[in-house]
Amino acid sequence: SPSLQPEAPARALPHVVIFPFPIQGHVNSMLKLAELLILCLQRDDDLRITFLNSEHNHNRLLHCSDVTSRFSNHPTFRFKTIPDGLPSETARSKDNLLEVFNNLKLRARDVLAELMAPSDDQPPPTCIIADGFMSFMIDAGEEFGLPVVMFRTISACCFWAYFCIPRLIEAGELPIQGNQDMDRIVTSVPGTDGLLRCRDLPGFCRVADLSDPQLQNITLQTSQTTRAQGLILNTFEALEGPILNQIRAHCANIYTVGPLNAHLKSRLPAASQFPIRQSSNSLWEEDRSCLIWLDKQPVRSVVYVSFGSLAVLEREELTEFGHGIVNSNYRFLWVLRPDSVGSHDHIDAELQAATEERGCIVEWAPQEEVLAHPAIGGFLTHSGWNSTIESITAGVPMVCWPYFADQQVNSRFVSEAWKVGLDMKDRCDRTVVKTMINDLMVEKRDDLSRSVFAKANQAKEAVSVGGSSWDNMNRLIENILSMGG
Ligand code: UDX
């Protein structure tokens, strides 16, 4: 009789820990994934979500954006913080990324042990979605018997270039032999068919000494991905299909769920029960006055200029971009973070005058709303992956000046594979800037617009019901819920 049946073990409540590497581009996309998880839950699904953010970034997030109001009304979501090991007053920059990485690596296991402790006010985690840059979370997950899904916040094409670094070294294609070698085509990145020159490889490859700690670290992190339960990417099949198929031979379970910004929009109407308003996850205060300025500009007349959250321009680079933009004679909206060029009160008089006449300079903008604004005609970008996919989603063509890391690969694919922009690459010269802005806004506008609008439509299809990203997100949810045992 039923009474004799052994009690079925209580099903652990599904509880996912989401842990981004604490820099803007990563926090932004992984917080979007958290929002998406909430929006995709059906009424009877019960999922706990713990978002593990660095103390430094958590305080800035709460101070600068309405994250609390978007999440606090969702009972099963909570923030937990982890110290990144730097003094609170220290500026986080590309120069201390490795130090932050090593600090988090030291602390991650203990934080996970805390979350697993029965004393914690939530049931223990049943799954971890960790930033693919932090493969040490796979070891931590194994220690506690937790499946780990990696979320790599870069493009598939750059992930694949990182994955192929050992082959490039084995084939003698790395190290790069100085500037004269930069245009050599590399052949050890399968599926790129002669597209990549040395100068298009990830910025970390531009070292003479292959024992460089950043190159070693990024190569190790990427190679460990094969141990994860799955790999989440903020991209879509129609954009990076051929490269995704190369990766699948090594990481079989890939969830392409992007573009995340577009995916959130497509899920929002279905989320009547969770009034989460899609907004940005900025760590800096957004200056919304630029949207009022844009409202007064003619359609597609403005060049939007932004180099992301980490790039730091040399004074000479700022001067060359300033003169190039001014000499192009186009209206411009330029984001100049206070920490991006020392103190930017050194903007020369010519740029100052042009700004009064036809420009707007802000320290941080609501970028997704800017890119969606009809006055925007083109985007001068550093080719960070979030900026790149946001620009494609908005149907805005780009001029790319990659700064470091994955940006060199992204800019090459933007110009030569997807044809949605022009790659300035290593040239930072006022004449080149002026010429490429003119190509973007006039000479090559028609071809670029046709391509980028086609990609924007494919992105929209991917995140609509039955689209590849829509279906992958449903599959990810099912798998996370099933990990509850
Ligand atoms: C970092 C790396 O530099 C990048 O190469 C990698 O792909 C992701 O992590 P970041 O340099 O900050 O990112 O660039 P990006 O990926 O473009 O992310 C910047 C984010 O900040 C975007 O989501 C963008 O919408 C937002 N942003 C940028 C603003 O909200 N306002 C701004 O003024 C500028």
Side-chain angles (χ1 to χ4, degrees):
S1 75
S3 60
L4 296 179
Q5 296 296 328
E7 274 292 298
R11 188 173 179 282
L13 189 69
H15 177 180
V16 60
V17 176
I18 299 180
F19 186 15
F21 186 69
I23 53 178
Q24 173 72 72
H26 293 222
V27 169
N28 194 4
S29 39
M30 291 185 80
L31 206 43
K32 278 189 165 55
L33 180 75
E35 280 188 270
L36 209 43
L37 284 175
I38 292 173
L39 290 181
C40 294
L41 290 176
Q42 306 304 321
R43 183 166 293 284
D44 55 349
D45 286 334
D46 199 353
L47 172 67
R48 295 288 188 275
I49 300 175
T50 296
F51 193 88
L52 192 50
N53 207 354
S54 71
E55 276 160 14
H56 178 80
N57 280 351
H58 185 64
N59 299 334
R60 293 177 61 189
L61 206 55
L62 295 186
H63 172 73
C64 294
S65 57
D66 60 350
V67 167
T68 358
S69 63
R70 282 172 20 230
F71 283 96
S72 54
N73 56 8
H74 197 272
T76 70
F77 180 95
R78 69 172 176 173
F79 282 103
K80 285 286 255 189
T81 59
I82 177 173
D84 66 8
L86 298 185
S88 56
E89 67 282 359
T90 303
R92 273 67 177 166
S93 75
K94 84 175 188 58
D95 299 329
N96 49 34
L97 285 185
L98 207 49
E99 188 181 352
V100 166
F101 175 88
N102 289 324
N103 292 338
L104 293 176
K105 184 173 178 180
L106 284 174
R107 290 166 167 79
R109 188 226 159 270
D110 295 347
V111 170
L112 205 48
E114 251 177 66
L115 291 171
M116 293 301 285
S119 55
D120 192 58
D121 59 3
Q122 289 271 20
T126 53
C127 158
I128 303 170
I129 295 180
D131 193 310
F133 185 53
M134 302 191 291
S135 69
F136 51 78
M137 287 310 291
I138 297 175
D139 302 313
E142 273 175 4
E143 183 179 337
F144 294 100
L146 292 178
V148 177
V149 181
M150 291 265 112
F151 181 164
R152 205 62 193 268
T153 62
I154 55 177
S155 58
C157 55
C158 184
F159 175 89
W160 183 231
Y162 283 145
F163 198 89
C164 292
I165 286 175
R167 294 170 192 226
L168 286 159
I169 294 172
E170 203 179 313
E173 296 202 83
L174 281 179
I176 299 169
Q177 307 297 332
N179 274 335
Q180 74 285 358
D181 198 21
M182 290 294 257
D183 288 321
R184 167 168 54 90
I185 301 289
V186 296
T187 57
S188 306
V189 184
T192 56
D193 309 328
L195 188 75
L196 294 179
R197 305 158 299 177
C198 288
R199 70 172 73 251
D200 305 311
L201 290 174
F204 296 126
C205 295
R206 296 186 175 192
V207 289
D209 176 0
L210 295 177
S211 63
D212 172 85
Q214 286 198 320
L215 179 65
Q216 292 278 322
N217 189 43
I218 200 92
T219 306
L220 172 67
Q221 302 320 317
T222 308
S223 65
Q224 294 294 305
T225 313
T226 55
R227 295 172 50 205
Q229 191 275 350
L231 171 61
I232 300 168
L233 290 171
N234 177 20
T235 188
F236 54 104
E237 296 294 332
L239 186 70
E240 300 201 83
I243 295 294
L244 287 160
N245 290 334
Q246 293 287 343
I247 300 171
R248 283 191 175 96
H250 306 270
C251 306
N253 183 21
I254 296 184
Y255 304 96
T256 50
V257 294
L260 286 170
N261 49 328
H263 203 153
L264 272 168
K265 284 195 180 71
S266 77
R267 297 271 184 173
L268 271 173
S272 54
Q273 71 273 36
F274 302 114
I276 289 182
R277 183 172 53 80
Q278 199 226 334
S279 174
S280 79
N281 306 311
S282 283
L283 300 178
W284 285 269
E285 194 71 47
E286 295 170 350
D287 181 345
R288 298 183 65 81
S289 68
C290 60
L291 295 172
I292 297 162
W293 181 81
L294 283 174
D295 288 343
K296 301 180 190 122
Q297 313 309 322
V299 169
R300 294 179 70 183
S301 66
V302 177
V303 180
Y304 172 53
V305 184
S306 169
F307 299 115
S309 70
L310 291 171
V312 177
L313 271 68
E314 302 298 331
R315 186 145 337 285
E316 302 69 35
E317 290 167 336
L318 176 75
T319 307
E320 289 308 306
F321 276 116
H323 283 283
I325 290 165
V326 166
N327 299 343
S328 74
N329 275 322
Y330 286 100
R331 294 170 170 84
F332 58 90
L333 165 56
W334 191 343
V335 174
L336 274 178
R337 291 188 339 266
D339 60 336
S340 69
V341 68
S343 61
H344 62 77
D345 55 7
H346 286 261
I347 290 178
D348 63 26
E350 199 184 348
L351 180 58
Q352 202 65 356
T355 305
E356 260 105 66
E357 188 205 321
R358 58 178 185 280
C360 177
I361 295 180
V362 294
E363 294 187 354
W364 197 249
Q367 176 159 306
E368 290 178 49
E369 293 176 70
V370 165
L371 288 170
H373 196 286
I376 298 295
F379 183 10
L380 171 51
T381 174
H382 70 312
S383 294
W385 185 240
N386 294 286
S387 293
T388 301
I389 201 159
E390 287 160 10
S391 199
I392 289 171
T393 310
V396 176
M398 293 162 264
V399 166
C400 307
W401 180 73
Y403 177 70
F404 84 130
D406 59 325
Q407 298 152 22
Q408 278 80 7
V409 180
N410 296 340
S411 62
R412 184 67 171 171
F413 271 77
V414 160
S415 67
E416 301 310 308
W418 309 324
K419 310 240 183 259
V420 294
L422 307 168
D423 188 3
M424 188 186 296
K425 195 61 61 162
D426 300 308
R427 296 166 291 169
C428 177
D429 159 276
R430 64 189 71 183
T431 313
V432 171
V433 171
K434 177 189 171 190
T435 306
M436 295 193 88
I437 287 178
N438 199 48
D439 287 347
L440 177 72
M441 301 295 276
V442 178
E443 300 305 324
K444 298 182 178 171
R445 163 179 279 194
D446 295 347
D447 290 347
L448 291 173
S449 298
R450 218 180 344 269
S451 294
V452 74
F453 287 142
K455 292 291 180 218
N457 287 332
Q458 288 174 324
K460 201 168 167 58
E461 280 162 23
V463 298
S464 302
V465 178
S468 57
S469 295
W470 180 283
D471 290 347
N472 279 325
M473 192 66 210
N474 290 349
R475 185 167 62 88
L476 175 63
I477 288 263
E478 282 159 30
N479 289 350
I480 289 173
L481 292 173
S482 69
M483 288 171 196

